[in-house]
């Protein structure tokens, strides 16, 4: 439960008929909060449909909120694995939420990464090299995806590595190629994007997200919008207090299954 993450209300089982086997199968489905603004849910669609309503300051606010949500996930040993602008939902101009946890996984605290052997289609344009080549995911690979998400935002919804297929994207990145600076993007913010795309950042995902969020809030937010940051910082502090209280209560509770 976090103000920058779509809230999960519960899980339900739904029986569906498999057309191949003719047998009924049970699918587990998530019930989540409904998030929409001006009839649009995805932040990607909103930016593409209302570009004149999106300013640099809005991008900074939204980026900071996404940082806050990803920091929350990393602290609880979760990797998202599918962070992209299409999976950010907009509730209003001051409120966006991370969604789509279909690829998310919990990681063991001692290993700090999740390795998958399964195939299927992966969003290669948003993936770090270690994820594409070895199926390894961690908070650091989520930070790489955050950098691409940030690039999408400041490019007003352009496709990353447009004109290249998945294989060409992988080879381009392995040769040291990176996404170019969006035309409307301030130089210092683009430098933060490139920090996300370092092969070995030298710091964990949480600390890098904190550094990026601090830069966004302290350097780029004009005084008119500082109240927004103050509001979310207070919510973060409240959230951290609630999480600690929950952990303490859980550790002393007798739970029967």
């Amino acid at each position: 439960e976090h103000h920058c993450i779509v809230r999960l209300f519960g899980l339900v089982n739904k029986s569906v008929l498999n057309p191949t086997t003719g047998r009924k199968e049970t699918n587990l489905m998530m019930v989540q909060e409904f998030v929409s603004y001006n009839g649009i849910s995805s932040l990607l669609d909103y930016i593409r449909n209302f570009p004149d309503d999106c300013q640099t300051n809005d991008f900074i606010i939204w980026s900071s909120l996404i940082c806050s949500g990803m920091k929350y996930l990393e602290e609880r040993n979760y990797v998202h694995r599918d962070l992209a602008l299409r999976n950010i939902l907009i509730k209003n101009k001051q409120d966006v939420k991370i969604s789509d946890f279909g690829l998310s996984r919990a990681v063991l605290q001692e290993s700090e990464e999740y390795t998958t052997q399964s195939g299927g289609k992966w969003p290669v344009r948003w993936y770090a090299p270690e994820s594409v080549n070895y199926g390894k995911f961690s908070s650091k690979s989520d930070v790489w995806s955050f950098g691409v998400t940030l690039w999408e935002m400041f490019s007003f919804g352009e496709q990353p590595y447009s004109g290249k297929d998945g294989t060409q994207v992988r080879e381009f990145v392995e040769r040291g190629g990176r996404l170019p600076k969006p035309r409307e993007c301030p130089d210092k913010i683009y430098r933060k994007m490139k920090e996300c795309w370092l092969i070995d950042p030298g710091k964990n995902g949480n600390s890098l997200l904190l550094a990026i969020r601090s830069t966004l809030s302290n350097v780029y937010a004009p005084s008119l919008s500082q109240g927004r940051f103050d509001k979310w910082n207070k919510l973060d502090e409240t959230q951290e207090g609630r999480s600690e209280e929950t952990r303490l209560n859980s550790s002393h509770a007798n739970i029967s299954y």
Side-chain angles (χ1 to χ4, degrees), residues 12 21 32 51 98 102 204 216 239 245:
V12 296
T21 63
Q32 299 178 330
I98 301 168
N204 63 39
L216 290 169
Q239 183 69 50
E245 181 180 356

Side-chain angles (χ1 to χ4, degrees), residues 215-228:
T215 300
L216 290 169
S217 61
N218 295 331
V219 177
Y220 295 103
S223 58
L224 179 63
S225 298
Q226 190 60 49
R228 298 183 190 177

